[in-house]
Amino acid sequence: MKTVVVAGNPKPSSRTLDAGVRLAGLLGAEPPEVLDVIALGPGLLGWGDPEVKHAVELVAGADLAVFASPTFKATYTGLLKLFLDQFATGEGLRGVVAVPLMLGAGPAHALAPELLLKPVLVELGATCPAPGLYQLDSSYDTDSSAADYVRRWGPALTASIGSR
Amino acid sequence: MKTVVVAGNPKPSSRTLDAGVRLAGLLGAEPPEVLDVIALGPGLLGWGDPEVKHAVELVAGADLAVFASPTFKATYTGLLKLFLDQFATGEGLRGVVAVPLMLGAGPAHALAPELLLKPVLVELGATCPAPGLYQLDSSYDTDSSAADYVRRWGPALTASIGSR
Amino acid sequence: MKTVVVAGNPKPSSRTLDAGVRLAGLLGAEPPEVLDVIALGPGLLGWGDPEVKHAVELVAGADLAVFASPTFKATYTGLLKLFLDQFATGEGLRGVVAVPLMLGAGPAHALAPELLLKPVLVELGATCPAPGLYQLDSSYDTDSSAADYVRRWGPALTASIGSR
Amino acid sequence: MKTVVVAGNPKPSSRTLDAGVRLAGLLGAEPPEVLDVIALGPGLLGWGDPEVKHAVELVAGADLAVFASPTFKATYTGLLKLFLDQFATGEGLRGVVAVPLMLGAGPAHALAPELLLKPVLVELGATCPAPGLYQLDSSYDTDSSAADYVRRWGPALTASIGSR
């Protein structure tokens, strides 16, 4: 199973990225490929950058992809969306089972992964059989949220991967 | 495969219901159980009505359920939500693969099934691996929207059912 | 200033209703008209009921209306939407300055009034210059959320009323 | 009245920008300040760039701001969000009356400005008394959508500006 973690935090090597890697690990991928979007740099602001193109192909070729973002202004970051804008509508994530993951400072934005991030992934053609996951950035690495999620939704995610 | 079509149109035997039945048929269920929510009557306004309880159990026991609504005020109907409010949060649709379906007079509300109806089904614990489907009420029975949807997303839906 | 509080809780005389009345009071209306939607009964399930029609006219004629709902399945209630479905699209709340208010057991659904309830009111033609307000049902009557909201957004609401 | 048009199209001098300028003109501002976000360049990818800071201050100081975006992946662009992420939550657009404007190739994404772009502006503290406006990129400059919008919602926008 080819797994990729996409982290859309403007800060490199963020807790967002760490949370994505941990979730991917619990889902059975050890170790996943990691794409820290900010490392792609200014090529994200246009079209046709070779490094960006390579990153898009990496993600498009995954069986399972975790799209991880901190919560900025009650939704995912502009940085993550900048990367997602590079994919083809309806096709760019076809065949990819995608998990929307967001981290926030408090619980008030817990609806954002399901209401806001997931629809973008679906628009790109991803299969998203499980709810968006929201974690607190102060406790994601010690609380049970990731384990609970994997216990509840892991089988649905795995079954969707099998359907390719 | 046990399939149920839930139609949330205040008008009985509506095109909404017909579109749901057609979609269920294309997904391999022939004939599905049909639940015309309006037939449940005033018991929907409270808790504990036996007929409503029976309807909830029917839907909760399905492998696949199509939740069909006309578009009222740019979203699903109050009638459909009244019925969905009878299910237990996180558990009421556990193990049910659900398809959000909405019909509208024009294309302007095409985002509603994905952005608005699907999250309610997910909140009830349903597995929703495919995008919400929006159809025009003037052509759903003659255009290719249902067939296109089933060709594209049928395998993902079927795989999720197998994962129970 | 003619103010109406619309409460969409299936339980009559609910905390939802009380929270709406308190908010209306802080906005300068003492006492507001109160519409407890559940009291309208089965006429809500069809069209043309005289009592429902009268209620619609009452709300349509308000300068300011608070639409209050408990959080069911991460969004407003089917009961409230059943009532809103009785209004004409784009016109039914024209000239009404509307405040979306939701109460919930915890903070996780705090985005619902802004993302989900407000767009329905806007679709009916209401003017919604202030954010949706979310309150905890365990503390709305003792915490500062309503007062903070009125201090921050009262002037914008008042100015919009003046613009009719 | 100080008006700013913010255009979030990766292509400079886009139809998006033109549509924003036309709308601002109809709202009474002639000529508005224009901020073509893409011109800010790579400074958008981090924090503290002086040119980006100046652009933020320009927008924060406006009475009226039109936030214009093409529709990418059924929502606003990553580029626009990258710029909005530079504002302070709850305060960055305080006192600014904001109009969410999106252009798309077809009508299917017409709900996006109201459901997706407006909530971001509201989170930044903007006053958004009018619905989000969606225009077709093939006809925005010849159809009546902008004029209809201004006729219907201009007074509400003007009244909100007066309330500062």
Side-chain angles (χ1 to χ4, degrees):
Chain A
M1 184 173 75
K2 196 173 165 189
T3 305
V4 179
V5 173
V6 178
N9 195 322
K11 183 180 159 188
S13 306
S14 59
R15 285 177 291 183
T16 312
L17 188 153
D18 183 53
V21 171
R22 286 170 184 262
L23 183 62
L26 288 172
L27 287 166
E30 196 72 62
E33 294 260 12
V34 173
L35 179 66
D36 206 357
V37 177
I38 191 65
L40 295 172
L44 288 164
L45 294 168
W47 312 112
D49 179 88
E51 203 182 342
V52 171
K53 190 160 175 266
H54 180 262
V56 166
E57 285 164 4
L58 175 78
V59 177
D63 296 299
L64 176 70
V66 175
F67 292 87
S69 177
T71 306
F72 281 16
K73 318 313 167 195
T75 187
Y76 51 79
T77 62
L79 181 67
L80 179 59
K81 182 61 164 43
L82 208 58
F83 180 59
L84 294 174
D85 285 347
Q86 300 276 341
F87 290 75
T89 297
E91 293 296 322
L93 292 178
R94 186 169 185 148
V96 179
V97 175
V99 179
L101 169 64
M102 289 178 62
L103 272 75
H109 298 143
L111 288 174
E114 179 66 25
L115 293 181
L116 300 170
L117 178 51
K118 188 197 274 185
V120 181
L121 305 177
V122 169
E123 182 74 12
L124 298 178
T127 302
C128 297
L133 174 60
Y134 184 84
Q135 297 186 290
L136 295 178
D137 55 20
S138 55
S139 67
Y140 74 91
D141 52 351
T142 54
D143 66 32
S144 68
S145 56
D148 293 346
Y149 181 85
V150 170
R151 192 175 309 115
R152 174 68 175 87
W153 291 104
L157 290 164
T158 303
S160 289
I161 293 166
S163 78
R164 288 190 76 188
Chain B
M1 185 173 74
K2 195 174 165 189
T3 304
V4 178
V5 174
V6 177
N9 195 322
K11 182 180 162 189
S13 305
S14 58
R15 285 178 291 184
T16 312
L17 188 155
D18 183 53
V21 171
R22 286 170 183 261
L23 182 61
L26 288 171
L27 287 167
E30 197 71 62
E33 293 260 12
V34 174
L35 179 65
D36 206 357
V37 177
I38 192 64
L40 294 173
L44 287 164
L45 294 168
W47 313 112
D49 179 87
E51 203 181 341
V52 171
K53 191 160 175 265
H54 180 261
V56 166
E57 284 164 5
L58 175 78
V59 176
D63 296 299
L64 176 70
V66 175
F67 291 86
S69 177
T71 306
F72 281 16
K73 319 312 169 194
T75 186
Y76 51 80
T77 62
L79 181 67
L80 178 59
K81 183 57 165 44
L82 207 58
F83 180 58
L84 294 174
D85 285 346
Q86 300 276 341
F87 289 74
T89 296
E91 293 296 322
L93 291 178
R94 186 169 185 149
V96 178
V97 175
V99 179
L101 170 63
M102 289 179 61
L103 274 75
H109 298 142
L111 288 175
E114 180 65 24
L115 294 181
L116 301 170
L117 178 51
K118 188 198 273 187
V120 181
L121 305 177
V122 169
E123 181 74 13
L124 298 178
T127 302
C128 296
L133 173 60
Y134 185 83
Q135 298 185 290
L136 295 178
D137 56 20
S138 55
S139 67
Y140 74 92
D141 52 351
T142 55
D143 65 33
S144 68
S145 57
D148 293 346
Y149 181 85
V150 170
R151 191 176 308 114
R152 174 68 174 86
W153 291 105
L157 290 164
T158 304
S160 288
I161 293 165
S163 78
R164 288 190 76 188
Chain C
M1 184 173 75
K2 196 173 165 188
T3 305
V4 178
V5 174
V6 178
N9 195 322
K11 182 180 161 190
S13 305
S14 59
R15 285 178 290 185
T16 312
L17 188 155
D18 183 53
V21 170
R22 285 171 185 262
L23 182 62
L26 288 172
L27 287 167
E30 197 72 62
E33 295 260 9
V34 173
L35 179 66
D36 206 357
V37 176
I38 192 64
L40 294 172
L44 287 164
L45 294 168
W47 313 112
D49 179 88
E51 203 181 343
V52 172
K53 190 160 175 264
H54 180 261
V56 167
E57 285 165 3
L58 175 77
V59 177
D63 297 299
L64 175 70
V66 175
F67 291 86
S69 177
T71 306
F72 280 16
K73 317 313 168 194
T75 186
Y76 52 79
T77 62
L79 181 66
L80 179 59
K81 183 60 164 45
L82 208 58
F83 180 58
L84 294 174
D85 285 347
Q86 300 277 341
F87 290 75
T89 297
E91 293 295 324
L93 291 179
R94 185 169 186 150
V96 178
V97 175
V99 179
L101 169 64
M102 289 179 62
L103 272 74
H109 298 143
L111 287 174
E114 181 65 24
L115 293 180
L116 301 170
L117 178 50
K118 187 197 272 187
V120 181
L121 305 177
V122 169
E123 181 74 13
L124 298 178
T127 302
C128 296
L133 173 60
Y134 185 82
Q135 297 185 291
L136 295 177
D137 56 21
S138 56
S139 68
Y140 75 92
D141 51 351
T142 55
D143 65 31
S144 68
S145 57
D148 293 346
Y149 181 85
V150 170
R151 192 175 310 115
R152 174 69 174 86
W153 291 104
L157 291 165
T158 303
S160 289
I161 293 166
S163 79
R164 288 190 75 189
Chain D
M1 185 172 75
K2 196 173 165 190
T3 304
V4 178
V5 174
V6 178
N9 196 322
K11 181 180 162 191
S13 306
S14 59
R15 283 176 294 184
T16 312
L17 189 155
D18 182 53
V21 170
R22 285 170 185 262
L23 182 62
L26 289 171
L27 287 167
E30 197 72 62
E33 294 261 11
V34 173
L35 179 65
D36 206 357
V37 177
I38 192 65
L40 294 173
L44 287 164
L45 294 168
W47 312 112
D49 179 88
E51 203 181 342
V52 171
K53 191 161 176 264
H54 180 261
V56 166
E57 285 164 5
L58 175 78
V59 177
D63 296 300
L64 176 70
V66 175
F67 292 87
S69 177
T71 305
F72 281 16
K73 318 314 169 193
T75 187
Y76 52 80
T77 61
L79 181 67
L80 178 59
K81 182 60 165 43
L82 208 57
F83 180 58
L84 295 174
D85 285 347
Q86 301 275 342
F87 290 74
T89 297
E91 293 297 322
L93 290 178
R94 185 170 186 149
V96 178
V97 175
V99 179
L101 170 64
M102 289 179 61
L103 273 75
H109 298 143
L111 287 175
E114 180 66 23
L115 293 181
L116 300 171
L117 179 50
K118 188 197 274 186
V120 182
L121 305 177
V122 169
E123 182 72 13
L124 298 179
T127 302
C128 296
L133 174 61
Y134 185 83
Q135 298 186 289
L136 296 177
D137 56 20
S138 56
S139 67
Y140 74 91
D141 52 351
T142 55
D143 65 32
S144 68
S145 57
D148 293 347
Y149 181 85
V150 171
R151 192 175 308 115
R152 174 68 174 86
W153 290 105
L157 291 165
T158 303
S160 289
I161 293 167
S163 78
R164 288 188 77 189

